[in-house]
Amino acid sequence: MKAYVYTENGAAIVDVAAPKPTGTQVLVKVKACGLNRADLGMTKGHVHGAAGGVGTVLGMEWAGEIAELGPEAKGFTVGERVMGSGGAAFAEFTVTDHGRLFHIPPGMGFDTACTLPVALTTMHNALVTVGGLQAGQSVLIQGASSGVGLMALQIARLKGARPVIGSSTHAARRGRLGEFGADLAIDSKEVGWVNEVLKATLGDGVDLIVDQISGPVANQNLKATKVLGRIVNVGRLGGTHADFNFDLHAARRISYIGVTFRTRSMQEIRDIFSAVRADIWPAVEAGKLKLPIDKVYPFAEIAMAFNHMEANKHLGKIVVTL
């Protein structure tokens, strides 16, 4: 089968053996894939968790049709339309555990479906399961114009958060955050952004920050979070190391929690997918939680799709179809 693989000469479409499902795995004929920032790093040879390096079939998010079931796979049948996550997505066929699949709702196309699994599971977990967001609480999404950030704004709004605040350093993208549920859009590179957050929360600070930037905003986040508030760190787009004001952290008694899929067990991932189904799936089926598609490329032009991502001028998801 054709697959997009990191080779000794860089990322390229090559022929590889099709995978076979074992145990609780499901084999899926891929119809469309969503690109993610971690994929961009892996096209350059970077490691993401345990995955990466020469010989790696790239990609982590897709939609397609079930072609075969492993002997212990449950809840799905051959021919069903599904979306899910897992490694080796950029290929004609991929395998994943039966617990990290969603059925595609009737009327939803593969292009749309492939944009959802990573954003839904990442941000429902960060906001609701780990972040403990309750109706009426205030929330700030750092890095809100990314695909998962746009989903976070929508989930926060759906769960009754007020106000919902999003940050973006890109003026045009920042100007569109209101379309996805933001009551206030801020530029986290501007000196006075913390004061904007405090003003919007009557001087208290937000109940919850979901932080995709980390590094350069770490201490400002502490100032923007209310006493006994929470910060959930889901990324490091701004860098992995920075100065941190431990005294301010202690004084404001902030719960600071790190989350990632890279160190989760398969059972933990299954639980995250189950939580999405149980809590917000009706909103997905109704089209209330969705991401804009910036551009669609055929699989033969996947390198161009990554060039488009690296240019960083898009809003929403970049999709590749097979």
Side-chain angles (χ1 to χ4, degrees), residues 197-199 201-206 223-227 252:
V197 172
L198 293 176
K199 182 179 179 181
T201 56
L202 304 179
D204 291 335
V206 292
K223 296 176 183 177
T225 305
K226 73 187 321 182
V227 174
R252 297 186 75 78

Side-chain angles (χ1 to χ4, degrees), residues 257-272:
I257 310 160
V259 297
T260 179
F261 273 76
R262 287 169 288 163
T263 53
R264 285 189 166 117
S265 69
M266 186 55 67
Q267 187 56 55
E268 288 176 310
I269 295 172
R270 290 170 181 165
D271 291 344
I272 289 169

Side-chain angles (χ1 to χ4, degrees), residues 160-183:
R162 297 294 186 277
V164 176
I165 305 170
S167 81
S168 175
T169 59
H170 189 282
R173 291 196 287 257
R174 188 167 62 251
R176 294 190 59 188
L177 295 183
E179 299 173 29
F180 303 93
D183 298 299

Side-chain angles (χ1 to χ4, degrees), residues 193-229:
W193 74 260
V194 172
N195 290 332
E196 291 184 68
V197 172
L198 293 176
K199 182 179 179 181
T201 56
L202 304 179
D204 291 335
V206 292
D207 292 281
L208 172 65
I209 293 180
V210 174
D211 181 20
Q212 298 188 92
I213 300 176
S214 303
V217 298
N219 289 329
Q220 292 168 301
N221 280 345
L222 297 175
K223 296 176 183 177
T225 305
K226 73 187 321 182
V227 174
L228 293 177

